[in-house]
Amino acid sequence: VVGSAEDRVSHTVTMSFLYVSGAALAEELDAAGFAVASGSACSSDALTPSHVLAAMGVPRARMMGSVRFSLGHSTTDGDIDRAIRVTVDAARRLAATA
């Protein structure tokens, strides 16, 4: 998980995965019904690693893909649990093929 554990907004989380393309992970999650964004909010359209994530101290930012989740009022604990399972499975699959 990227960012401070204490000083953060409660409805958004960015996660980075070593040797996984953020774009490929976002596609996998989209196919599973999750709308996520790849990279940081200020560079989500860039095809290069996020300079923001690198500045935040994300180790090996150039070797990591990131996805950003935003939660809404209708998000349930079940939605979050499913998102975690699907994300972990997809990241493992993608890393195994890297």
Side-chain angles (χ1 to χ4, degrees), residues 11 24 49 55 57:
H11 68 284

Side-chain angles (χ1 to χ4, degrees), residues 1-2 13-27 29 36-40 43-44 46-50 53-54 58-69 87-88 90-92 94-95 98:
V1 174
V2 177
V13 64
T14 298
M15 291 182 269
S16 294
F17 301 88
L18 190 58
Y19 306 124
V20 174
S21 161
L25 185 55
E27 286 179 19
L29 293 170
V36 300
S38 177
S40 66
S43 65
S44 60
L47 296 177
T48 58
S50 168
L53 295 178
V58 174
R60 300 180 283 193
R62 296 199 176 279
M63 298 164 48
M64 299 180 97
S66 298
V67 289
R68 187 177 62 259
F69 293 84
T87 301
V88 169
R92 283 183 179 149
L94 291 167

